[in-house]
PDB file of all heavy atoms in Angstrom:
ATOM      1  N   GLU A  82     -10.216 -20.184   3.249  1.00  0.00           N
ATOM      2  CA  GLU A  82     -11.628 -20.191   3.619  1.00  0.00           C
ATOM      3  C   GLU A  82     -12.141 -18.817   3.230  1.00  0.00           C
ATOM      4  O   GLU A  82     -11.622 -17.804   3.672  1.00  0.00           O
ATOM      5  CB  GLU A  82     -11.809 -20.434   5.121  1.00  0.00           C
ATOM      6  CG  GLU A  82     -11.337 -21.798   5.573  1.00  0.00           C
ATOM      7  CD  GLU A  82     -12.114 -22.953   4.967  1.00  0.00           C
ATOM      8  OE1 GLU A  82     -13.306 -22.782   4.682  1.00  0.00           O
ATOM      9  OE2 GLU A  82     -11.518 -24.008   4.773  1.00  0.00           O
ATOM     10  N   SER A  83     -13.110 -18.796   2.374  1.00  0.00           N
ATOM     11  CA  SER A  83     -13.636 -17.517   1.930  1.00  0.00           C
ATOM     12  C   SER A  83     -15.144 -17.559   1.914  1.00  0.00           C
ATOM     13  O   SER A  83     -15.757 -18.617   1.822  1.00  0.00           O
ATOM     14  CB  SER A  83     -13.101 -17.190   0.536  1.00  0.00           C
ATOM     15  OG  SER A  83     -13.495 -18.183  -0.364  1.00  0.00           O
ATOM     16  N   LYS A  84     -15.713 -16.372   2.007  1.00  0.00           N
ATOM     17  CA  LYS A  84     -17.160 -16.312   1.956  1.00  0.00           C
ATOM     18  C   LYS A  84     -17.588 -14.935   1.479  1.00  0.00           C
ATOM     19  O   LYS A  84     -16.850 -13.961   1.578  1.00  0.00           O
ATOM     20  CB  LYS A  84     -17.785 -16.634   3.303  1.00  0.00           C
ATOM     21  CG  LYS A  84     -17.462 -15.640   4.401  1.00  0.00           C
ATOM     22  CD  LYS A  84     -18.116 -16.029   5.710  1.00  0.00           C
ATOM     23  CE  LYS A  84     -17.807 -14.996   6.779  1.00  0.00           C
ATOM     24  NZ  LYS A  84     -18.494 -15.263   8.011  1.00  0.00           N
ATOM     25  N   ILE A  85     -18.792 -14.899   0.960  1.00  0.00           N
ATOM     26  CA  ILE A  85     -19.423 -13.647   0.544  1.00  0.00           C
ATOM     27  C   ILE A  85     -20.510 -13.332   1.566  1.00  0.00           C
ATOM     28  O   ILE A  85     -21.272 -14.211   1.954  1.00  0.00           O
ATOM     29  CB  ILE A  85     -20.048 -13.787  -0.860  1.00  0.00           C
ATOM     30  CG1 ILE A  85     -18.973 -14.041  -1.920  1.00  0.00           C
ATOM     31  CG2 ILE A  85     -20.900 -12.575  -1.202  1.00  0.00           C
ATOM     32  CD1 ILE A  85     -18.122 -12.858  -2.278  1.00  0.00           C
ATOM     33  N   THR A  86     -20.538 -12.103   1.994  1.00  0.00           N
ATOM     34  CA  THR A  86     -21.618 -11.652   2.855  1.00  0.00           C
ATOM     35  C   THR A  86     -22.352 -10.527   2.137  1.00  0.00           C
ATOM     36  O   THR A  86     -21.785  -9.873   1.256  1.00  0.00           O
ATOM     37  CB  THR A  86     -21.094 -11.143   4.216  1.00  0.00           C
ATOM     38  OG1 THR A  86     -20.142 -10.096   3.981  1.00  0.00           O
ATOM     39  CG2 THR A  86     -20.458 -12.258   5.007  1.00  0.00           C
ATOM     40  N   TYR A  87     -23.603 -10.338   2.524  1.00  0.00           N
ATOM     41  CA  TYR A  87     -24.379  -9.297   1.868  1.00  0.00           C
ATOM     42  C   TYR A  87     -25.354  -8.661   2.844  1.00  0.00           C
ATOM     43  O   TYR A  87     -25.888  -9.311   3.723  1.00  0.00           O
ATOM     44  CB  TYR A  87     -25.021  -9.909   0.619  1.00  0.00           C
ATOM     45  CG  TYR A  87     -26.490  -9.843   0.423  1.00  0.00           C
ATOM     46  CD1 TYR A  87     -27.057  -8.787  -0.267  1.00  0.00           C
ATOM     47  CD2 TYR A  87     -27.324 -10.847   0.880  1.00  0.00           C
ATOM     48  CE1 TYR A  87     -28.418  -8.741  -0.496  1.00  0.00           C
ATOM     49  CE2 TYR A  87     -28.673 -10.815   0.645  1.00  0.00           C
ATOM     50  CZ  TYR A  87     -29.221  -9.748  -0.035  1.00  0.00           C
ATOM     51  OH  TYR A  87     -30.565  -9.702  -0.261  1.00  0.00           O
ATOM     52  N   ASP A  88     -25.536  -7.354   2.706  1.00  0.00           N
ATOM     53  CA  ASP A  88     -26.387  -6.569   3.595  1.00  0.00           C
ATOM     54  C   ASP A  88     -27.818  -6.585   3.062  1.00  0.00           C
ATOM     55  O   ASP A  88     -28.218  -5.724   2.280  1.00  0.00           O
ATOM     56  CB  ASP A  88     -25.855  -5.141   3.683  1.00  0.00           C
ATOM     57  CG  ASP A  88     -26.604  -4.286   4.687  1.00  0.00           C
ATOM     58  OD1 ASP A  88     -27.625  -4.757   5.237  1.00  0.00           O
ATOM     59  OD2 ASP A  88     -26.162  -3.149   4.918  1.00  0.00           O
ATOM     60  N   SER A  89     -28.591  -7.563   3.464  1.00  0.00           N
ATOM     61  CA  SER A  89     -29.958  -7.733   2.961  1.00  0.00           C
ATOM     62  C   SER A  89     -30.893  -6.614   3.434  1.00  0.00           C
ATOM     63  O   SER A  89     -31.893  -6.327   2.773  1.00  0.00           O
ATOM     64  CB  SER A  89     -30.521  -9.093   3.371  1.00  0.00           C
ATOM     65  OG  SER A  89     -30.552  -9.210   4.779  1.00  0.00           O
ATOM     66  N   ASP A  90     -30.566  -5.978   4.557  1.00  0.00           N
ATOM     67  CA  ASP A  90     -31.412  -4.909   5.082  1.00  0.00           C
ATOM     68  C   ASP A  90     -31.438  -3.680   4.172  1.00  0.00           C
ATOM     69  O   ASP A  90     -32.440  -2.983   4.096  1.00  0.00           O
ATOM     70  CB  ASP A  90     -30.960  -4.492   6.484  1.00  0.00           C
ATOM     71  CG  ASP A  90     -31.145  -5.593   7.504  1.00  0.00           C
ATOM     72  OD1 ASP A  90     -32.011  -6.473   7.293  1.00  0.00           O
ATOM     73  OD2 ASP A  90     -30.414  -5.593   8.514  1.00  0.00           O
ATOM     74  N   ARG A  91     -30.342  -3.432   3.470  1.00  0.00           N
ATOM     75  CA  ARG A  91     -30.257  -2.266   2.591  1.00  0.00           C
ATOM     76  C   ARG A  91     -30.584  -2.588   1.133  1.00  0.00           C
ATOM     77  O   ARG A  91     -30.632  -1.700   0.293  1.00  0.00           O
ATOM     78  CB  ARG A  91     -28.855  -1.659   2.679  1.00  0.00           C
ATOM     79  CG  ARG A  91     -28.569  -1.060   4.053  1.00  0.00           C
ATOM     80  CD  ARG A  91     -27.215  -0.356   4.161  1.00  0.00           C
ATOM     81  NE  ARG A  91     -26.828   0.346   2.962  1.00  0.00           N
ATOM     82  CZ  ARG A  91     -25.621   0.257   2.404  1.00  0.00           C
ATOM     83  NH1 ARG A  91     -24.691  -0.499   2.943  1.00  0.00           N
ATOM     84  NH2 ARG A  91     -25.330   0.935   1.322  1.00  0.00           N
ATOM     85  N   CYS A  92     -30.836  -3.853   0.841  1.00  0.00           N
ATOM     86  CA  CYS A  92     -31.066  -4.309  -0.535  1.00  0.00           C
ATOM     87  C   CYS A  92     -32.399  -3.767  -1.078  1.00  0.00           C
ATOM     88  O   CYS A  92     -33.418  -3.789  -0.395  1.00  0.00           O
ATOM     89  CB  CYS A  92     -31.090  -5.833  -0.580  1.00  0.00           C
ATOM     90  SG  CYS A  92     -31.298  -6.508  -2.232  1.00  0.00           S
ATOM     91  N   ILE A  93     -32.375  -3.298  -2.340  1.00  0.00           N
ATOM     92  CA  ILE A  93     -33.589  -2.803  -2.986  1.00  0.00           C
ATOM     93  C   ILE A  93     -34.179  -3.843  -3.945  1.00  0.00           C
ATOM     94  O   ILE A  93     -35.128  -3.557  -4.666  1.00  0.00           O
ATOM     95  CB  ILE A  93     -33.333  -1.470  -3.727  1.00  0.00           C
ATOM     96  CG1 ILE A  93     -32.270  -1.654  -4.814  1.00  0.00           C
ATOM     97  CG2 ILE A  93     -32.972  -0.370  -2.733  1.00  0.00           C
ATOM     98  CD1 ILE A  93     -32.084  -0.451  -5.721  1.00  0.00           C
ATOM     99  N   ASN A  94     -33.582  -5.051  -3.975  1.00  0.00           N
ATOM    100  CA  ASN A  94     -34.072  -6.174  -4.777  1.00  0.00           C
ATOM    101  C   ASN A  94     -34.156  -5.855  -6.270  1.00  0.00           C
ATOM    102  O   ASN A  94     -35.119  -6.217  -6.945  1.00  0.00           O
ATOM    103  CB  ASN A  94     -35.419  -6.670  -4.244  1.00  0.00           C
ATOM    104  CG  ASN A  94     -35.289  -7.148  -2.817  1.00  0.00           C
ATOM    105  OD1 ASN A  94     -34.604  -8.125  -2.552  1.00  0.00           O
ATOM    106  ND2 ASN A  94     -35.894  -6.433  -1.890  1.00  0.00           N
ATOM    107  N   CYS A  95     -33.125  -5.201  -6.779  1.00  0.00           N
ATOM    108  CA  CYS A  95     -33.105  -4.830  -8.198  1.00  0.00           C
ATOM    109  C   CYS A  95     -32.810  -6.023  -9.102  1.00  0.00           C
ATOM    110  O   CYS A  95     -33.150  -6.023 -10.274  1.00  0.00           O
ATOM    111  CB  CYS A  95     -32.096  -3.711  -8.450  1.00  0.00           C
ATOM    112  SG  CYS A  95     -30.370  -4.199  -8.245  1.00  0.00           S
ATOM    113  N   GLY A  96     -32.128  -7.041  -8.563  1.00  0.00           N
ATOM    114  CA  GLY A  96     -31.841  -8.250  -9.324  1.00  0.00           C
ATOM    115  C   GLY A  96     -30.539  -8.233 -10.099  1.00  0.00           C
ATOM    116  O   GLY A  96     -30.202  -9.206 -10.768  1.00  0.00           O
ATOM    117  N   ALA A  97     -29.782  -7.143 -10.056  1.00  0.00           N
ATOM    118  CA  ALA A  97     -28.519  -7.069 -10.801  1.00  0.00           C
ATOM    119  C   ALA A  97     -27.563  -8.191 -10.394  1.00  0.00           C
ATOM    120  O   ALA A  97     -26.880  -8.768 -11.236  1.00  0.00           O
ATOM    121  CB  ALA A  97     -27.866  -5.707 -10.596  1.00  0.00           C
ATOM    122  N   CYS A  98     -27.542  -8.522  -9.129  1.00  0.00           N
ATOM    123  CA  CYS A  98     -26.632  -9.564  -8.639  1.00  0.00           C
ATOM    124  C   CYS A  98     -27.041 -10.948  -9.147  1.00  0.00           C
ATOM    125  O   CYS A  98     -26.192 -11.791  -9.429  1.00  0.00           O
ATOM    126  CB  CYS A  98     -26.566  -9.544  -7.124  1.00  0.00           C
ATOM    127  SG  CYS A  98     -28.161  -9.818  -6.317  1.00  0.00           S
ATOM    128  N   THR A  99     -28.328 -11.189  -9.266  1.00  0.00           N
ATOM    129  CA  THR A  99     -28.790 -12.523  -9.674  1.00  0.00           C
ATOM    130  C   THR A  99     -28.398 -12.852 -11.100  1.00  0.00           C
ATOM    131  O   THR A  99     -28.108 -13.993 -11.415  1.00  0.00           O
ATOM    132  CB  THR A  99     -30.316 -12.672  -9.521  1.00  0.00           C
ATOM    133  OG1 THR A  99     -30.971 -11.752 -10.374  1.00  0.00           O
ATOM    134  CG2 THR A  99     -30.745 -12.439  -8.093  1.00  0.00           C
ATOM    135  N   SER A 100     -28.359 -11.845 -11.953  1.00  0.00           N
ATOM    136  CA  SER A 100     -28.000 -12.101 -13.348  1.00  0.00           C
ATOM    137  C   SER A 100     -26.513 -12.394 -13.505  1.00  0.00           C
ATOM    138  O   SER A 100     -26.098 -12.986 -14.496  1.00  0.00           O
ATOM    139  CB  SER A 100     -28.403 -10.923 -14.235  1.00  0.00           C
ATOM    140  OG  SER A 100     -27.703  -9.756 -13.863  1.00  0.00           O
ATOM    141  N   SER A 101     -25.699 -12.008 -12.521  1.00  0.00           N
ATOM    142  CA  SER A 101     -24.265 -12.263 -12.605  1.00  0.00           C
ATOM    143  C   SER A 101     -23.847 -13.533 -11.873  1.00  0.00           C
ATOM    144  O   SER A 101     -22.717 -13.976 -12.015  1.00  0.00           O
ATOM    145  CB  SER A 101     -23.491 -11.071 -12.034  1.00  0.00           C
ATOM    146  OG  SER A 101     -23.679 -10.995 -10.638  1.00  0.00           O
ATOM    147  N   CYS A 102     -24.742 -14.124 -11.093  1.00  0.00           N
ATOM    148  CA  CYS A 102     -24.394 -15.273 -10.247  1.00  0.00           C
ATOM    149  C   CYS A 102     -24.439 -16.569 -11.042  1.00  0.00           C
ATOM    150  O   CYS A 102     -25.509 -17.083 -11.379  1.00  0.00           O
ATOM    151  CB  CYS A 102     -25.337 -15.348  -9.051  1.00  0.00           C
ATOM    152  SG  CYS A 102     -24.890 -16.660  -7.897  1.00  0.00           S
ATOM    153  N   LEU A 103     -23.262 -17.118 -11.330  1.00  0.00           N
ATOM    154  CA  LEU A 103     -23.149 -18.330 -12.144  1.00  0.00           C
ATOM    155  C   LEU A 103     -23.517 -19.600 -11.387  1.00  0.00           C
ATOM    156  O   LEU A 103     -23.904 -20.592 -11.987  1.00  0.00           O
ATOM    157  CB  LEU A 103     -21.719 -18.466 -12.681  1.00  0.00           C
ATOM    158  CG  LEU A 103     -21.203 -17.277 -13.494  1.00  0.00           C
ATOM    159  CD1 LEU A 103     -19.741 -17.473 -13.835  1.00  0.00           C
ATOM    160  CD2 LEU A 103     -22.039 -17.070 -14.732  1.00  0.00           C
ATOM    161  N   SER A 104     -23.408 -19.563 -10.075  1.00  0.00           N
ATOM    162  CA  SER A 104     -23.633 -20.773  -9.281  1.00  0.00           C
ATOM    163  C   SER A 104     -25.079 -20.945  -8.831  1.00  0.00           C
ATOM    164  O   SER A 104     -25.440 -21.981  -8.297  1.00  0.00           O
ATOM    165  CB  SER A 104     -22.727 -20.768  -8.050  1.00  0.00           C
ATOM    166  OG  SER A 104     -23.130 -19.738  -7.162  1.00  0.00           O
ATOM    167  N   GLY A 105     -25.893 -19.919  -9.016  1.00  0.00           N
ATOM    168  CA  GLY A 105     -27.279 -19.995  -8.562  1.00  0.00           C
ATOM    169  C   GLY A 105     -27.448 -19.701  -7.084  1.00  0.00           C
ATOM    170  O   GLY A 105     -28.492 -19.980  -6.506  1.00  0.00           O
ATOM    171  N   ALA A 106     -26.424 -19.118  -6.462  1.00  0.00           N
ATOM    172  CA  ALA A 106     -26.515 -18.791  -5.039  1.00  0.00           C
ATOM    173  C   ALA A 106     -27.433 -17.599  -4.788  1.00  0.00           C
ATOM    174  O   ALA A 106     -27.933 -17.422  -3.691  1.00  0.00           O
ATOM    175  CB  ALA A 106     -25.124 -18.504  -4.473  1.00  0.00           C
ATOM    176  N   LEU A 107     -27.654 -16.794  -5.812  1.00  0.00           N
ATOM    177  CA  LEU A 107     -28.529 -15.627  -5.701  1.00  0.00           C
ATOM    178  C   LEU A 107     -29.700 -15.786  -6.648  1.00  0.00           C
ATOM    179  O   LEU A 107     -29.524 -16.110  -7.822  1.00  0.00           O
ATOM    180  CB  LEU A 107     -27.771 -14.344  -6.057  1.00  0.00           C
ATOM    181  CG  LEU A 107     -26.718 -13.921  -5.052  1.00  0.00           C
ATOM    182  CD1 LEU A 107     -25.757 -12.917  -5.671  1.00  0.00           C
ATOM    183  CD2 LEU A 107     -27.377 -13.330  -3.820  1.00  0.00           C
ATOM    184  N   SER A 108     -30.898 -15.556  -6.132  1.00  0.00           N
ATOM    185  CA  SER A 108     -32.097 -15.654  -6.963  1.00  0.00           C
ATOM    186  C   SER A 108     -33.160 -14.707  -6.425  1.00  0.00           C
ATOM    187  O   SER A 108     -33.067 -14.221  -5.310  1.00  0.00           O
ATOM    188  CB  SER A 108     -32.626 -17.087  -6.983  1.00  0.00           C
ATOM    189  OG  SER A 108     -32.976 -17.504  -5.677  1.00  0.00           O
ATOM    190  N   ILE A 109     -34.149 -14.451  -7.272  1.00  0.00           N
ATOM    191  CA  ILE A 109     -35.323 -13.683  -6.848  1.00  0.00           C
ATOM    192  C   ILE A 109     -36.483 -14.666  -6.865  1.00  0.00           C
ATOM    193  O   ILE A 109     -36.702 -15.354  -7.859  1.00  0.00           O
ATOM    194  CB  ILE A 109     -35.621 -12.508  -7.797  1.00  0.00           C
ATOM    195  CG1 ILE A 109     -34.486 -11.503  -7.766  1.00  0.00           C
ATOM    196  CG2 ILE A 109     -36.928 -11.840  -7.416  1.00  0.00           C
ATOM    197  CD1 ILE A 109     -34.700 -10.294  -8.659  1.00  0.00           C
ATOM    198  N   GLN A 110     -37.210 -14.724  -5.748  1.00  0.00           N
ATOM    199  CA  GLN A 110     -38.273 -15.721  -5.649  1.00  0.00           C
ATOM    200  C   GLN A 110     -39.624 -15.083  -5.355  1.00  0.00           C
ATOM    201  O   GLN A 110     -39.722 -14.128  -4.586  1.00  0.00           O
ATOM    202  CB  GLN A 110     -37.925 -16.749  -4.572  1.00  0.00           C
ATOM    203  CG  GLN A 110     -36.670 -17.531  -4.947  1.00  0.00           C
ATOM    204  CD  GLN A 110     -36.355 -18.623  -3.953  1.00  0.00           C
ATOM    205  OE1 GLN A 110     -37.021 -18.805  -2.943  1.00  0.00           O
ATOM    206  NE2 GLN A 110     -35.323 -19.380  -4.247  1.00  0.00           N
ATOM    207  N   ALA A 111     -40.628 -15.626  -6.019  1.00  0.00           N
ATOM    208  CA  ALA A 111     -42.019 -15.209  -5.794  1.00  0.00           C
ATOM    209  C   ALA A 111     -42.466 -15.765  -4.445  1.00  0.00           C
ATOM    210  O   ALA A 111     -41.881 -16.712  -3.947  1.00  0.00           O
ATOM    211  CB  ALA A 111     -42.901 -15.746  -6.916  1.00  0.00           C
ATOM    212  N   PRO A 112     -43.443 -15.234  -3.811  1.00  0.00           N
ATOM    213  CA  PRO A 112     -44.355 -14.200  -4.300  1.00  0.00           C
ATOM    214  C   PRO A 112     -43.908 -12.782  -3.955  1.00  0.00           C
ATOM    215  O   PRO A 112     -44.432 -11.822  -4.499  1.00  0.00           O
ATOM    216  CB  PRO A 112     -45.658 -14.523  -3.583  1.00  0.00           C
ATOM    217  CG  PRO A 112     -45.221 -15.051  -2.252  1.00  0.00           C
ATOM    218  CD  PRO A 112     -43.936 -15.815  -2.540  1.00  0.00           C
ATOM    219  N   ASP A 113     -42.892 -12.621  -3.067  1.00  0.00           N
ATOM    220  CA  ASP A 113     -42.526 -11.261  -2.640  1.00  0.00           C
ATOM    221  C   ASP A 113     -41.425 -10.638  -3.502  1.00  0.00           C
ATOM    222  O   ASP A 113     -41.105  -9.473  -3.347  1.00  0.00           O
ATOM    223  CB  ASP A 113     -42.125 -11.242  -1.164  1.00  0.00           C
ATOM    224  CG  ASP A 113     -40.980 -12.183  -0.852  1.00  0.00           C
ATOM    225  OD1 ASP A 113     -40.459 -12.845  -1.777  1.00  0.00           O
ATOM    226  OD2 ASP A 113     -40.592 -12.265   0.326  1.00  0.00           O
ATOM    227  N   TRP A 114     -40.805 -11.413  -4.401  1.00  0.00           N
ATOM    228  CA  TRP A 114     -39.762 -10.954  -5.327  1.00  0.00           C
ATOM    229  C   TRP A 114     -38.590 -10.310  -4.590  1.00  0.00           C
ATOM    230  O   TRP A 114     -38.100  -9.264  -4.958  1.00  0.00           O
ATOM    231  CB  TRP A 114     -40.349 -10.031  -6.396  1.00  0.00           C
ATOM    232  CG  TRP A 114     -41.439 -10.719  -7.144  1.00  0.00           C
ATOM    233  CD1 TRP A 114     -42.772 -10.474  -7.037  1.00  0.00           C
ATOM    234  CD2 TRP A 114     -41.305 -11.812  -8.049  1.00  0.00           C
ATOM    235  NE1 TRP A 114     -43.480 -11.342  -7.835  1.00  0.00           N
ATOM    236  CE2 TRP A 114     -42.593 -12.173  -8.481  1.00  0.00           C
ATOM    237  CE3 TRP A 114     -40.228 -12.533  -8.565  1.00  0.00           C
ATOM    238  CZ2 TRP A 114     -42.850 -13.212  -9.372  1.00  0.00           C
ATOM    239  CZ3 TRP A 114     -40.471 -13.559  -9.462  1.00  0.00           C
ATOM    240  CH2 TRP A 114     -41.752 -13.890  -9.849  1.00  0.00           C
TER     241      TRP A 114
END
Side-chain angles (χ1 to χ4, degrees):
E82 295 296 329
S83 60
K84 64 180 182 175
I85 296 287
T86 57
Y87 125 91
D88 185 353
S89 60
D90 294 335
R91 293 184 36 227
C92 182
I93 60 172
N94 299 295
C95 69
C98 60
T99 63
S100 63
S101 69
C102 184
L103 304 174
S104 68
L107 290 163
S108 61
I109 296 181
Q110 296 184 357
D113 57 1
W114 303 107

